[in-house]
Amino acid sequence: MVAALVVAAILVVAWPRSGPAAIAAQDEKIIVPAGPGLTGTVTLDAGLYLPATTPAPAVIVAHGFGGSRLSVDADAQRLARAGFVVLTYSARGFGRSTGQVGLDSLDYEVPDARALVDWLAKRPEVIQDGAGDPRVGVTGGSYGGALALMLAGADPRIDAVAAVATWNNLQQALFPNNTAVVQVDGNPPSPSAPVGTGTPAFIPGGADGVFKQAW
């Protein structure tokens, strides 16, 4: 019985593990300006994943609300195995990054993301399309998806964007109990109603309600 257990233990240790090997991430600290009306700087906690061959195109991966760069580790590893240099980070106020959450603000989070593009422009592992212009795409889900769209709209250096399940109105996303019901001639919207009528994009909000705690 003892001999059988010893042989079984040896087989468990020696048997090769299934699945791809993990790709190591380098911890990085990226310093960005605090932003309008603030003094000092904000430190973004970031991770750099390198493919087998460089230089290569880069992808910035943004996380969802309440998450951090650790939330997108699996996505980053898949992209790195596919041949991309991947940069993940915790947005200001999340994870180990300093600063206060600005809710994807054009004054704070978007400039932070543009600073990440600047940082990638200085990395020899990333293909460069020109001076200060790395070949880079951006992706993210939910809160990170909105950041991806906003960064692509604000920075012409972004070459590709893939936003996943993002919001179209942050007030409605965080205060969903406070959304009005839109009626068309006193009735719910019908298939013959004009395109967009009665959709969340056109639903007005009132005073702030209770903050969403699902995350």
Side-chain angles (χ1 to χ4, degrees):
M1 182 64 176
V2 174
L5 290 175
V6 170
V7 172
I10 292 174
L11 288 174
V12 169
V13 172
W15 197 263
R17 295 182 177 181
S18 60
I23 291 180
Q26 301 172 195
D27 292 333
E28 303 285 351
K29 299 295 182 185
I30 300 176
I31 310 299
V32 299
L38 302 175
T39 59
T41 59
V42 166
T43 301
L44 301 178
D45 181 38
L48 182 67
Y49 300 71
L50 297 176
T53 302
T54 59
V59 178
I60 297 172
V61 183
H63 62 80
F65 193 75
S68 71
R69 73 180 180 95
L70 300 181
S71 307
V72 295
D73 174 75
D75 294 330
Q77 293 208 30
R78 282 194 294 270
L79 286 166
R81 289 192 196 97
F84 295 96
V85 174
V86 184
L87 180 63
T88 64
Y89 72 106
S90 296
R92 61 169 63 201
F94 292 106
R96 295 185 177 180
S97 292
T98 63
Q100 184 175 2
V101 177
L103 299 179
D104 278 342
S105 169
L106 286 167
D107 291 326
Y108 303 104
E109 276 82 356
V110 174
D112 290 350
R114 296 194 68 180
L116 300 181
V117 180
D118 294 338
W119 189 85
L120 288 170
K122 301 174 183 177
R123 300 294 304 198
E125 303 93 340
V126 179
I127 292 175
Q128 305 294 319
D129 290 327
D133 182 8
R135 187 170 303 173
V136 57
V138 58
T139 185
S142 189
Y143 185 75
L147 185 283
L149 290 174
M150 296 171 77
L151 175 60
D155 196 325
R157 295 175 296 176
I158 297 298
D159 300 294
V161 58
V164 183
T166 187
W167 49 267
N168 59 30
N169 184 303
L170 194 55
Q171 178 187 3
Q172 293 170 18
L174 297 178
F175 301 91
N177 61 309
N178 193 47
T179 299
V181 176
V182 171
Q183 302 286 326
V184 177
D185 297 328
N187 299 303
S190 66
S192 61
V195 175
T197 302
T199 68
F202 289 86
I203 296 176
D208 290 344
V210 178
F211 188 77
K212 184 177 181 181
Q213 296 189 36
W215 64 271

mmCIF file of all heavy atoms in Angstrom, residues 161-190:
data_model
loop_
_atom_site.group_PDB
_atom_site.id
_atom_site.type_symbol
_atom_site.label_atom_id
_atom_site.label_comp_id
_atom_site.label_asym_id
_atom_site.label_seq_id
_atom_site.Cartn_x
_atom_site.Cartn_y
_atom_site.Cartn_z
ATOM 1 N N VAL A 161 -9.150 49.413 -31.988
ATOM 2 C CA VAL A 161 -9.870 49.452 -30.710
ATOM 3 C C VAL A 161 -10.898 48.333 -30.695
ATOM 4 O O VAL A 161 -11.571 48.083 -31.703
ATOM 5 C CB VAL A 161 -10.535 50.830 -30.476
ATOM 6 C CG1 VAL A 161 -11.500 51.166 -31.596
ATOM 7 C CG2 VAL A 161 -11.259 50.866 -29.140
ATOM 8 N N ALA A 162 -11.004 47.630 -29.560
ATOM 9 C CA ALA A 162 -11.998 46.560 -29.388
ATOM 10 C C ALA A 162 -12.628 46.738 -28.010
ATOM 11 O O ALA A 162 -12.104 46.261 -27.006
ATOM 12 C CB ALA A 162 -11.348 45.189 -29.520
ATOM 13 N N ALA A 163 -13.746 47.470 -27.984
ATOM 14 C CA ALA A 163 -14.447 47.726 -26.719
ATOM 15 C C ALA A 163 -15.487 46.636 -26.497
ATOM 16 O O ALA A 163 -16.238 46.293 -27.412
ATOM 17 C CB ALA A 163 -15.113 49.090 -26.758
ATOM 18 N N VAL A 164 -15.558 46.117 -25.270
ATOM 19 C CA VAL A 164 -16.447 44.998 -24.954
ATOM 20 C C VAL A 164 -17.477 45.419 -23.908
ATOM 21 O O VAL A 164 -17.110 45.897 -22.830
ATOM 22 C CB VAL A 164 -15.637 43.796 -24.430
ATOM 23 C CG1 VAL A 164 -16.561 42.608 -24.165
ATOM 24 C CG2 VAL A 164 -14.535 43.418 -25.410
ATOM 25 N N ALA A 165 -18.757 45.246 -24.221
ATOM 26 C CA ALA A 165 -19.854 45.425 -23.252
ATOM 27 C C ALA A 165 -19.719 46.714 -22.454
ATOM 28 O O ALA A 165 -19.775 46.709 -21.225
ATOM 29 C CB ALA A 165 -19.907 44.231 -22.306
ATOM 30 N N THR A 166 -19.539 47.825 -23.138
ATOM 31 C CA THR A 166 -19.328 49.072 -22.430
ATOM 32 C C THR A 166 -20.645 49.802 -22.177
ATOM 33 O O THR A 166 -21.708 49.359 -22.584
ATOM 34 C CB THR A 166 -18.354 49.966 -23.210
ATOM 35 O OG1 THR A 166 -18.037 51.112 -22.425
ATOM 36 C CG2 THR A 166 -18.965 50.408 -24.536
ATOM 37 N N TRP A 167 -20.571 50.914 -21.469
ATOM 38 C CA TRP A 167 -21.759 51.697 -21.130
ATOM 39 C C TRP A 167 -21.907 52.857 -22.120
ATOM 40 O O TRP A 167 -20.942 53.276 -22.754
ATOM 41 C CB TRP A 167 -21.661 52.233 -19.695
ATOM 42 C CG TRP A 167 -20.370 52.901 -19.353
ATOM 43 C CD1 TRP A 167 -19.274 52.317 -18.789
ATOM 44 C CD2 TRP A 167 -20.011 54.273 -19.558
ATOM 45 N NE1 TRP A 167 -18.255 53.222 -18.626
ATOM 46 C CE2 TRP A 167 -18.688 54.444 -19.096
ATOM 47 C CE3 TRP A 167 -20.676 55.377 -20.076
ATOM 48 C CZ2 TRP A 167 -18.023 55.667 -19.139
ATOM 49 C CZ3 TRP A 167 -20.009 56.592 -20.134
ATOM 50 C CH2 TRP A 167 -18.703 56.719 -19.663
ATOM 51 N N ASN A 168 -23.131 53.386 -22.214
ATOM 52 C CA ASN A 168 -23.310 54.586 -23.030
ATOM 53 C C ASN A 168 -23.682 55.793 -22.182
ATOM 54 O O ASN A 168 -23.680 56.910 -22.651
ATOM 55 C CB ASN A 168 -24.365 54.378 -24.125
ATOM 56 C CG ASN A 168 -25.735 54.006 -23.576
ATOM 57 O OD1 ASN A 168 -26.102 54.395 -22.470
ATOM 58 N ND2 ASN A 168 -26.489 53.246 -24.339
ATOM 59 N N ASN A 169 -24.012 55.569 -20.910
ATOM 60 C CA ASN A 169 -24.333 56.661 -19.991
ATOM 61 C C ASN A 169 -23.941 56.206 -18.598
ATOM 62 O O ASN A 169 -24.563 55.302 -18.026
ATOM 63 C CB ASN A 169 -25.825 56.999 -20.050
ATOM 64 C CG ASN A 169 -26.175 58.199 -19.171
ATOM 65 O OD1 ASN A 169 -25.917 58.210 -17.971
ATOM 66 N ND2 ASN A 169 -26.775 59.202 -19.782
ATOM 67 N N LEU A 170 -22.894 56.797 -18.044
ATOM 68 C CA LEU A 170 -22.355 56.311 -16.770
ATOM 69 C C LEU A 170 -23.325 56.553 -15.618
ATOM 70 O O LEU A 170 -23.370 55.781 -14.662
ATOM 71 C CB LEU A 170 -21.013 56.979 -16.483
ATOM 72 C CG LEU A 170 -20.170 56.344 -15.373
ATOM 73 C CD1 LEU A 170 -19.950 54.871 -15.651
ATOM 74 C CD2 LEU A 170 -18.840 57.054 -15.230
ATOM 75 N N GLN A 171 -24.123 57.607 -15.686
ATOM 76 C CA GLN A 171 -25.109 57.847 -14.624
ATOM 77 C C GLN A 171 -26.094 56.689 -14.551
ATOM 78 O O GLN A 171 -26.421 56.192 -13.476
ATOM 79 C CB GLN A 171 -25.864 59.148 -14.864
ATOM 80 C CG GLN A 171 -26.942 59.427 -13.793
ATOM 81 C CD GLN A 171 -27.804 60.628 -14.114
ATOM 82 O OE1 GLN A 171 -27.647 61.232 -15.165
ATOM 83 N NE2 GLN A 171 -28.706 60.978 -13.224
ATOM 84 N N GLN A 172 -26.574 56.243 -15.715
ATOM 85 C CA GLN A 172 -27.514 55.139 -15.718
ATOM 86 C C GLN A 172 -26.850 53.830 -15.300
ATOM 87 O O GLN A 172 -27.490 52.960 -14.703
ATOM 88 C CB GLN A 172 -28.127 54.995 -17.108
ATOM 89 C CG GLN A 172 -29.021 56.164 -17.503
ATOM 90 C CD GLN A 172 -29.411 56.105 -18.967
ATOM 91 O OE1 GLN A 172 -29.305 55.068 -19.602
ATOM 92 N NE2 GLN A 172 -29.844 57.231 -19.502
ATOM 93 N N ALA A 173 -25.554 53.669 -15.630
ATOM 94 C CA ALA A 173 -24.859 52.439 -15.275
ATOM 95 C C ALA A 173 -24.660 52.320 -13.763
ATOM 96 O O ALA A 173 -24.769 51.234 -13.192
ATOM 97 C CB ALA A 173 -23.509 52.381 -15.985
ATOM 98 N N LEU A 174 -24.366 53.457 -13.111
ATOM 99 C CA LEU A 174 -24.076 53.422 -11.675
ATOM 100 C C LEU A 174 -25.304 53.707 -10.814
ATOM 101 O O LEU A 174 -25.332 53.357 -9.638
ATOM 102 C CB LEU A 174 -22.966 54.426 -11.345
ATOM 103 C CG LEU A 174 -21.610 54.138 -11.995
ATOM 104 C CD1 LEU A 174 -20.608 55.221 -11.638
ATOM 105 C CD2 LEU A 174 -21.081 52.779 -11.595
ATOM 106 N N PHE A 175 -26.310 54.360 -11.382
ATOM 107 C CA PHE A 175 -27.530 54.682 -10.635
ATOM 108 C C PHE A 175 -28.754 54.152 -11.395
ATOM 109 O O PHE A 175 -29.644 54.911 -11.769
ATOM 110 C CB PHE A 175 -27.662 56.199 -10.432
ATOM 111 C CG PHE A 175 -26.513 56.815 -9.692
ATOM 112 C CD1 PHE A 175 -25.422 57.314 -10.384
ATOM 113 C CD2 PHE A 175 -26.518 56.889 -8.306
ATOM 114 C CE1 PHE A 175 -24.353 57.887 -9.706
ATOM 115 C CE2 PHE A 175 -25.453 57.454 -7.625
ATOM 116 C CZ PHE A 175 -24.371 57.955 -8.319
ATOM 117 N N PRO A 176 -28.821 52.842 -11.639
ATOM 118 C CA PRO A 176 -29.868 52.311 -12.511
ATOM 119 C C PRO A 176 -31.267 52.426 -11.925
ATOM 120 O O PRO A 176 -32.256 52.363 -12.650
ATOM 121 C CB PRO A 176 -29.461 50.838 -12.676
ATOM 122 C CG PRO A 176 -28.698 50.540 -11.421
ATOM 123 C CD PRO A 176 -27.936 51.803 -11.111
ATOM 124 N N ASN A 177 -31.393 52.586 -10.610
ATOM 125 C CA ASN A 177 -32.715 52.709 -10.004
ATOM 126 C C ASN A 177 -33.364 54.056 -10.310
ATOM 127 O O ASN A 177 -34.538 54.273 -10.017
ATOM 128 C CB ASN A 177 -32.614 52.560 -8.488
ATOM 129 C CG ASN A 177 -31.730 53.648 -7.878
ATOM 130 O OD1 ASN A 177 -30.614 53.853 -8.334
ATOM 131 N ND2 ASN A 177 -32.221 54.345 -6.870
ATOM 132 N N ASN A 178 -32.586 54.953 -10.907
ATOM 133 C CA ASN A 178 -33.060 56.309 -11.109
ATOM 134 C C ASN A 178 -33.292 56.615 -12.583
ATOM 135 O O ASN A 178 -33.133 57.724 -13.031
ATOM 136 C CB ASN A 178 -32.035 57.303 -10.528
ATOM 137 C CG ASN A 178 -32.620 58.697 -10.430
ATOM 138 O OD1 ASN A 178 -33.732 58.864 -9.958
ATOM 139 N ND2 ASN A 178 -31.874 59.689 -10.890
ATOM 140 N N THR A 179 -33.631 55.589 -13.349
ATOM 141 C CA THR A 179 -33.845 55.770 -14.773
ATOM 142 C C THR A 179 -35.331 55.892 -15.072
ATOM 143 O O THR A 179 -36.138 55.077 -14.637
ATOM 144 C CB THR A 179 -33.264 54.578 -15.565
ATOM 145 O OG1 THR A 179 -31.858 54.525 -15.313
ATOM 146 C CG2 THR A 179 -33.497 54.739 -17.052
ATOM 147 N N ALA A 180 -35.705 56.915 -15.828
ATOM 148 C CA ALA A 180 -37.109 57.122 -16.176
ATOM 149 C C ALA A 180 -37.541 56.123 -17.241
ATOM 150 O O ALA A 180 -36.736 55.561 -17.968
ATOM 151 C CB ALA A 180 -37.307 58.546 -16.683
ATOM 152 N N VAL A 181 -38.839 55.882 -17.329
ATOM 153 C CA VAL A 181 -39.408 55.020 -18.362
ATOM 154 C C VAL A 181 -39.955 55.915 -19.469
ATOM 155 O O VAL A 181 -40.804 56.769 -19.228
ATOM 156 C CB VAL A 181 -40.532 54.131 -17.798
ATOM 157 C CG1 VAL A 181 -41.168 53.315 -18.919
ATOM 158 C CG2 VAL A 181 -39.976 53.214 -16.712
ATOM 159 N N VAL A 182 -39.455 55.732 -20.663
ATOM 160 C CA VAL A 182 -39.870 56.560 -21.788
ATOM 161 C C VAL A 182 -41.101 55.945 -22.455
ATOM 162 O O VAL A 182 -41.131 54.749 -22.747
ATOM 163 C CB VAL A 182 -38.727 56.697 -22.807
ATOM 164 C CG1 VAL A 182 -39.227 57.377 -24.077
ATOM 165 C CG2 VAL A 182 -37.595 57.512 -22.197
ATOM 166 N N GLN A 183 -42.112 56.753 -22.668
ATOM 167 C CA GLN A 183 -43.329 56.301 -23.344
ATOM 168 C C GLN A 183 -43.414 56.978 -24.715
ATOM 169 O O GLN A 183 -42.945 58.094 -24.902
ATOM 170 C CB GLN A 183 -44.568 56.674 -22.520
ATOM 171 C CG GLN A 183 -44.588 56.104 -21.113
ATOM 172 C CD GLN A 183 -44.880 54.612 -21.105
ATOM 173 O OE1 GLN A 183 -45.634 54.119 -21.939
ATOM 174 N NE2 GLN A 183 -44.301 53.905 -20.156
ATOM 175 N N VAL A 184 -43.997 56.294 -25.662
ATOM 176 C CA VAL A 184 -44.248 56.857 -26.995
ATOM 177 C C VAL A 184 -45.762 56.999 -27.135
ATOM 178 O O VAL A 184 -46.478 55.998 -27.230
ATOM 179 C CB VAL A 184 -43.674 55.952 -28.105
ATOM 180 C CG1 VAL A 184 -44.016 56.531 -29.478
ATOM 181 C CG2 VAL A 184 -42.179 55.813 -27.938
ATOM 182 N N ASP A 185 -46.249 58.242 -27.111
ATOM 183 C CA ASP A 185 -47.690 58.500 -27.160
ATOM 184 C C ASP A 185 -48.435 57.765 -26.048
ATOM 185 O O ASP A 185 -49.521 57.213 -26.255
ATOM 186 C CB ASP A 185 -48.268 58.094 -28.525
ATOM 187 C CG ASP A 185 -47.682 58.923 -29.660
ATOM 188 O OD1 ASP A 185 -47.366 60.107 -29.416
ATOM 189 O OD2 ASP A 185 -47.519 58.397 -30.764
ATOM 190 N N GLY A 186 -47.808 57.725 -24.882
ATOM 191 C CA GLY A 186 -48.445 57.087 -23.749
ATOM 192 C C GLY A 186 -48.310 55.587 -23.714
ATOM 193 O O GLY A 186 -48.820 54.924 -22.805
ATOM 194 N N ASN A 187 -47.604 55.002 -24.702
ATOM 195 C CA ASN A 187 -47.440 53.547 -24.764
ATOM 196 C C ASN A 187 -45.959 53.198 -24.823
ATOM 197 O O ASN A 187 -45.123 54.026 -25.218
ATOM 198 C CB ASN A 187 -48.137 52.978 -26.004
ATOM 199 C CG ASN A 187 -49.629 53.259 -25.989
ATOM 200 O OD1 ASN A 187 -50.317 52.871 -25.048
ATOM 201 N ND2 ASN A 187 -50.109 53.944 -27.020
ATOM 202 N N PRO A 188 -45.609 51.968 -24.435
ATOM 203 C CA PRO A 188 -44.205 51.540 -24.578
ATOM 204 C C PRO A 188 -43.765 51.636 -26.036
ATOM 205 O O PRO A 188 -44.594 51.571 -26.952
ATOM 206 C CB PRO A 188 -44.244 50.082 -24.099
ATOM 207 C CG PRO A 188 -45.459 49.994 -23.243
ATOM 208 C CD PRO A 188 -46.459 50.943 -23.853
ATOM 209 N N PRO A 189 -42.471 51.811 -26.282
ATOM 210 C CA PRO A 189 -41.983 51.899 -27.663
ATOM 211 C C PRO A 189 -42.394 50.682 -28.482
ATOM 212 O O PRO A 189 -42.393 49.560 -27.986
ATOM 213 C CB PRO A 189 -40.465 51.970 -27.498
ATOM 214 C CG PRO A 189 -40.272 52.518 -26.126
ATOM 215 C CD PRO A 189 -41.411 51.985 -25.306
ATOM 216 N N SER A 190 -42.750 50.897 -29.739
ATOM 217 C CA SER A 190 -43.161 49.809 -30.622
ATOM 218 C C SER A 190 -42.136 49.637 -31.730
ATOM 219 O O SER A 190 -41.279 50.493 -31.939
ATOM 220 C CB SER A 190 -44.523 50.139 -31.241
ATOM 221 O OG SER A 190 -44.411 51.262 -32.117
#
